[in-house]
Amino acid sequence: MPHSPQDSIAPHLAGIALEHTNDGIMITDADNHIIYVNRAFAEVTGYTPEEAIGNTPRLLNSGHHGAAFYQGMWRALREQGHWRGEIWDRRKNGDIYPERLSITAVPDAEGGIECYVAVFTDIQALHRAEEKLQRITHFDALTELPNRAQLSERLHQLVEAARRDNQLLGVMLLDLDGFKNLNDRYGHALGDRVLVAIAQRLKQVARGSDVVARLGGDEFALVLRGLPHMDEVERVADRILALAGAPCEIDGQRYELTASLGITLFPFDGADPDTLLRHADQAMYQAKEGGRNRYHLFDAEQDQQAQTRRQLLDRLAMALNHDELELHYQPKVNLRTGQVVGMEALLRWRHPEQGLLLPGTFLPHVEHHDLIVEIGEWVVRRALLQIGAWEREGLVISVSVNVAARQLLREDFVECMRRCLDDFPDVPPGRLELEILESAALENTRHVRGVIETCWGEGVSFALDDFGTGYASLSYLRDIPAETLKIDQSFVRDVLEDSDDLTLVEGIIGLATAFRRTVVAEGVETPEQGVLLMRLGCDIAQGYGIARPMPAAAIPAWIADYRPDPQWALWADTHWEMSDFPLLVAQYDHIKWVRRILFYMDGGTLQLSPGELCDHRQCRFGHWYYGHGWRRYGRLQEFIDLEPIHVAVHRIGPDIVELRKAGQLEQARERVRELLALKDQILEKLAALQRSVAGKSVEPDFAQIGLF
Ligand code: C2E
Ligand code: MG
Ligand code: MG
């Protein structure tokens, strides 16, 4: 092989290179005795070449690595001819230091080992820098507690471990109460010392892998694992508050602070680590709001509801912009004249996936949000638009619109109404009625009165909706001058069965008449309810018994086809004396008494006192018969005829109860049939009595009322 000039100077240069490189170099023979070290070796290890040569590398052994580590190294050298890795060695002065080491086995001509060449770099400085960086990025400089970044990392691990071991993990957020005041008053240096003291105390709570971290300012986090049960959580929370709340003694001065603690518990709160912290934070704010110096446990269910509400809110706002909302209209009719007197506009949401939604499914979730105000304005505008459209078709219809409390109570409500009306100059404002909830009007009667009176100036009228549900007092009717009262449908529903509801409805109608208000009954489902309402003096009704709410397009045809129930025409020209009202009540009292016997037959409890059951003078019907009824109708034959039947009823009733008790069901049923026949006779006699009192000659089928 030809020799180049480089070949001849190479050994010399190699020697220079070995001596001047910054890496330590050590060469050992096949028996692993050191035969060469360079200058950098001496600098790093502290051993001179004389001291090193002849020794084995065990000279540098730090004891840091076990036998397995060295076995792995030798295996790699044997099998691959080299090894590379990080290793801790010991300097001559005893210091242990990390180095990055690379060893190569140099083969000889016979396939054995000529020598081993080890090249290493001292990376202690690098390690120190890394550690420092680690400290800076993961620990809080003031308290030396883990910081937010470190907490987040640890929390991920702890959540994983808690999930695996099926353990309770408490994630807690602590914020000092009034720390800012202390800082402002005594200066930041003192504030810092207080923080350090509190950090020290909080550390006492932590065991094993628990974490106490400082998130910044006066905010600390604790992640505690292995909490056995809720009692323990409470105990720990109390302890943390006591630790944080104990006075701090600094330079002979005492400083007292308290803390608010928010807690969430994994896995009850199954959120991801970041969300757990957020939940603990939320709970901490609730502890603050609850009066500080306390802890608050995060309620996952409550939070879920809040979240669902937020989502619904967003979705509903979108629905408003995407034209998914619409109004349906439910007619109101005059029972006596058969006239259609107006429509109530009722909101619907045509949801692309869920179909047509009723307001009860979405409005209650937004009633405390400004979105309801926006929706309310949309409803008014849409109703005005519709009134105008009907008007152009030749239909003159008034429309009432529901107004939410939040909308009504706003300062700018009247202005908003004015703007709406101005935008529909062809709609007479008199066609618009606003329905306000009794409960909303009660919240601020003075404001509402002002709104009503100002809107009157514009021509708009008002109704009090759901009347009877809002605990209104008499004086309140004086304060809220709405022209119309709408009797809540819950009273109308049972008016035929429940004499208390009947009395309530009668009372509302009486009140409305006394205050010269119009009264509208909601929720009229049967013709009989209509008859009763009319006789009580309420002529205007709305309900499924007349029509269900329908899209605007269906209204003209409905009006054209509408025929009032024939039963109503029968009573149209009679007027019932209110002093005869107890007679009506007596009828429903008797029906109710019989129902209670039937309920007992069916295995229910007996809702009658012994007196009410056995004594024909002590049931509610009996009270009427021998009291008001006797005085008012005592001479009328229909009234006299009632007594023997009623007495018989009170013989049979107790019999049925006894037979049922004795388990003689067949006989009991037989007696029930007799009782029902007597009930029909009583209702017939009562109807006859009512007819003769009202001076009616026609014969409506009164026994049909309150069917069983
Ligand atoms: P409301 O103002 O008392 O309206 C009457 C409700 O009773 C309507 O329910 C109507 O469909 C229902 N209803 C009518 N007749 C009968 C009947 O014979 N039987 C029964 N069981 N129910 C009957 P809807 O449309 O579901 O509305 C419920 C409530 O939602 C309304 O009660 C009203 O308070 C509110 N609401 C409806 N639309 C709006 C709106 O545009 N704005 C506001 N703020 N609230 C609205
Ligand atoms: Mg209404
Ligand atoms: Mg209502």
Side-chain angles (χ1 to χ4, degrees), residues 330 344 347-348 359 363 402 465-466 489 522-523 525 543-544 549:
Q330 187 178 35
E344 177 172 8
L347 187 62
R348 300 290 181 262
L363 277 190
N402 293 281
D465 207 348
D466 298 357
Q489 48 178 289
E522 294 187 327
E525 297 193 349
Y544 295 170

Side-chain angles (χ1 to χ4, degrees), residues 478-645:
R478 181 196 60 202
D479 293 340
I480 302 293
E483 302 94 309
T484 300
L485 305 184
K486 296 188 83 176
I487 308 174
D488 189 63
Q489 48 178 289
S490 61
F491 307 124
V492 175
R493 188 186 314 128
D494 294 330
V495 75
L496 288 172
E497 284 96 40
D498 191 320
S499 54
D500 292 337
D501 280 347
L502 175 61
T503 307
L504 251 161
V505 168
E506 192 266 333
I508 294 174
I509 295 171
L511 209 63
T513 315
F515 280 87
R516 292 184 186 72
R517 311 287 169 88
T518 306
V519 49
V520 177
E522 294 187 327
V524 174
E525 297 193 349
T526 66
E528 290 77 17
Q529 287 169 337
V531 170
L532 182 58
L533 286 160
M534 203 184 351
R535 293 178 62 193
L536 293 175
C538 169
D539 289 352
I540 301 178
Q542 170 186 353
Y544 295 170
I546 299 157
R548 288 186 174 256
M550 60 190 111
I555 289 291
W558 182 86
I559 293 180
D561 293 347
Y562 174 62
R563 300 283 172 275
D565 193 279
Q567 285 197 48
W568 301 339
L570 286 176
W571 289 91
D573 56 348
T574 57
H575 281 273
W576 178 256
E577 277 283 323
M578 253 2 222
S579 47
D580 290 319
F581 174 68
L583 169 54
L584 266 187
V585 177
Q587 172 181 330
Y588 297 115
D589 277 336
H590 178 62
I591 292 173
K592 201 169 182 177
W593 189 92
V594 176
R595 269 178 190 240
R596 291 189 167 173
I597 299 281
L598 296 187
F599 183 66
Y600 182 72
M601 260 311 280
D602 285 345
T605 52
L606 182 63
Q607 295 161 335
L608 293 168
S609 73
E612 283 176 306
L613 174 67
C614 304
D615 188 344
H616 64 277
R617 288 171 183 272
Q618 278 195 43
C619 72
R620 287 172 74 150
F621 182 87
H623 275 285
W624 165 77
Y625 191 87
Y626 297 102
H628 182 272
W630 195 271
R631 288 195 300 279
R632 199 168 162 82
Y633 317 111
R635 278 176 320 229
L636 294 178
Q637 190 53 47
E638 296 90 338
F639 183 80
I640 295 166
D641 291 346
L642 277 168
E643 190 173 27
I645 315 173

Side-chain angles (χ1 to χ4, degrees), residues 227 379 492 629 632 666:
L227 296 164
V379 170
V492 175
R632 199 168 162 82
E666 210 31 66

Side-chain angles (χ1 to χ4, degrees), residues 22-28 32 34 36-38 41 44-45 56-58 60-62 65 69-70 72-74 76-77 81-90 97-105 116-124 126-127:
N22 282 327
D23 291 336
I25 294 173
M26 169 175 77
I27 301 174
T28 60
N32 204 25
I34 300 172
Y36 170 81
V37 296
N38 69 350
F41 173 97
V44 172
T45 65
T56 68
R58 227 167 288 136
L60 305 172
N61 193 326
S62 65
H65 307 282
F69 176 84
Y70 294 103
M73 179 191 284
W74 280 110
L77 286 172
H82 61 262
W83 179 90
R84 184 173 292 138
E86 264 185 32
I87 184 167
W88 289 81
D89 272 350
R90 187 193 302 275
Y97 66 99
E99 62 184 30
R100 196 171 290 141
L101 171 65
S102 146
I103 309 174
T104 309
Y116 298 97
V117 179
V119 181
F120 62 88
T121 320
D122 181 349
I123 53 171
Q124 184 159 46
L126 196 69
H127 259 238

